[in-house]
Amino acid sequence: YQTYADDGESALKAEGDRHYYLGEYGVAIDSYEKTLEISPNYHEAKFGLGKAKFQKEAYKEAASYFMASAEQRPMRGASLYNAALSFRMIGECHHALKLYEEFLNTTNDKNYKVMAFYGAAICYETQGQIAQAAKYYGMFLETSKYDPIFANWQRVVSTRREQLLTGKYSNDELANSSNIRALYMESVELLKTKKFDKASKILNRALQIDPNYFLALVARGGANIGLGKFTYAINDYEKALQLNPQSAS
């Protein structure tokens, strides 16, 4: 069914949106919760609350709000995707995979599909389902082919898929690979909302696992620029270029 909200509820929800985009997630949560106290079926507010909870690393709560907002058909696709990501962040891959599959059956958005293939691949890899992980990494590569946005990512995923197909990995490598990818994905979400300090700390953890993880080095360079730490940013970019000279072209 369609949700309608009066001016007061819409204003509260808009206030939550404003605080969210300013990175003031705690205040945004208060606004969204007040909106839902007045209008419990205001699904857009549930979705906003889910996003704010995600940024506060309350992934379980975020997932529940995304699932609630998925009841409204126009928001179902984005809600399913974000719920899957939230479950993946807390290691509940069995829930995440069901949602990724449902999402992939309902969306035509290419970029979201690419991300869902990647997320599903990580979940299958985490669960030790190597053939399925390789399959979904392959779908990621096929769907993102020729898209410059994913150019560097494609190199990393292609290498990982080849490792899985040829059996050139150990159980420890498998666990580390899944952990570093989860940390990298979390940092990407933070960088989108200019949470540079938090993203930098998460990327430091990722690079402790693998100091040569190309995407994490590039992302940390971006975070350091956001923090005004230009020398550190240059160091990250220079190391990334040493690892992958083709990325300069």
Side-chain angles (χ1 to χ4, degrees):
Y1 57 88
Q2 184 67 41
T3 300
Y4 298 95
D6 64 24
D7 291 341
E9 294 153 14
S10 296
L12 270 174
K13 190 262 181 185
E15 181 181 317
D17 292 343
R18 182 171 63 84
H19 287 297
Y20 177 86
Y21 288 112
L22 288 172
E24 299 169 349
Y25 304 121
V27 184
I29 287 170
D30 289 340
S31 297
Y32 291 133
E33 287 179 339
K34 287 176 184 176
T35 305
L36 292 170
E37 285 175 8
I38 300 170
S39 181
N41 291 324
Y42 196 169
H43 293 288
E44 291 87 347
K46 294 178 186 177
F47 185 80
L49 185 52
K51 291 196 300 178
K53 290 283 187 180
F54 186 95
Q55 295 296 341
K56 295 290 282 185
E57 300 183 16
Y59 301 122
K60 188 79 171 180
E61 292 179 66
S64 68
Y65 284 110
F66 287 134
M67 291 301 295
S69 68
E71 294 174 6
Q72 188 181 34
R73 187 169 295 278
M75 301 184 64
R76 187 161 182 79
S79 297
L80 289 172
Y81 174 81
N82 282 282
L85 178 59
S86 299
F87 279 123
R88 183 164 67 79
M89 295 304 296
I90 55 176
E92 295 190 14
C93 279
H94 57 295
H95 288 313
L97 283 168
K98 290 179 182 178
L99 294 170
Y100 278 132
E101 292 293 348
E102 185 174 353
F103 170 75
L104 287 166
N105 287 330
T106 60
T107 187
N108 292 316
D109 187 295
K110 178 187 172 183
N111 286 339
Y112 265 118
K113 272 193 169 184
V114 169
M115 296 299 292
F117 286 139
Y118 181 80
I122 290 177
C123 281
Y124 281 122
E125 186 174 344
T126 300
Q127 294 186 159
Q129 295 176 257
I130 304 306
Q132 283 292 92
K135 173 185 173 183
Y136 277 81
Y137 281 136
M139 288 191 281
F140 166 91
L141 292 168
E142 181 61 30
T143 309
S144 64
K145 189 164 55 177
Y146 310 125
D147 190 333
I149 295 174
F150 298 102
N152 290 328
W153 212 339
Q154 288 165 353
R155 297 186 186 102
V156 175
V157 170
S158 180
T159 299
R160 187 57 185 167
R161 182 171 181 267
E162 183 65 22
Q163 289 174 336
L164 295 180
L165 289 172
T166 58
K168 294 180 180 178
Y169 62 88
S170 67
N171 289 334
D172 286 343
E173 288 174 338
L174 195 63
N176 286 341
S177 174
S178 299
N179 289 337
I180 196 171
R181 281 170 168 76
L183 290 169
Y184 170 73
M185 290 299 297
E186 185 176 357
S187 78
V188 169
E189 295 300 319
L190 291 167
L191 288 170
K192 286 178 183 176
T193 52
K194 300 184 180 180
K195 300 290 285 185
F196 301 119
D197 185 56
K198 199 174 217 180
S200 178
K201 290 175 181 176
I202 287 172
L203 289 162
N204 286 341
R205 287 165 54 196
L207 289 164
Q208 285 175 354
I209 299 171
D210 182 359
N212 296 321
Y213 192 72
F214 175 80
L215 291 178
L217 284 166
V218 173
R220 193 174 66 177
N224 281 325
I225 287 177
L227 293 168
K229 297 179 178 179
F230 301 110
T231 300
Y232 288 107
I234 290 170
N235 290 339
D236 282 333
Y237 288 140
E238 285 181 343
K239 184 169 183 179
L241 284 172
Q242 289 170 2
L243 293 168
N244 188 358
Q246 291 180 339
S247 63
S249 60

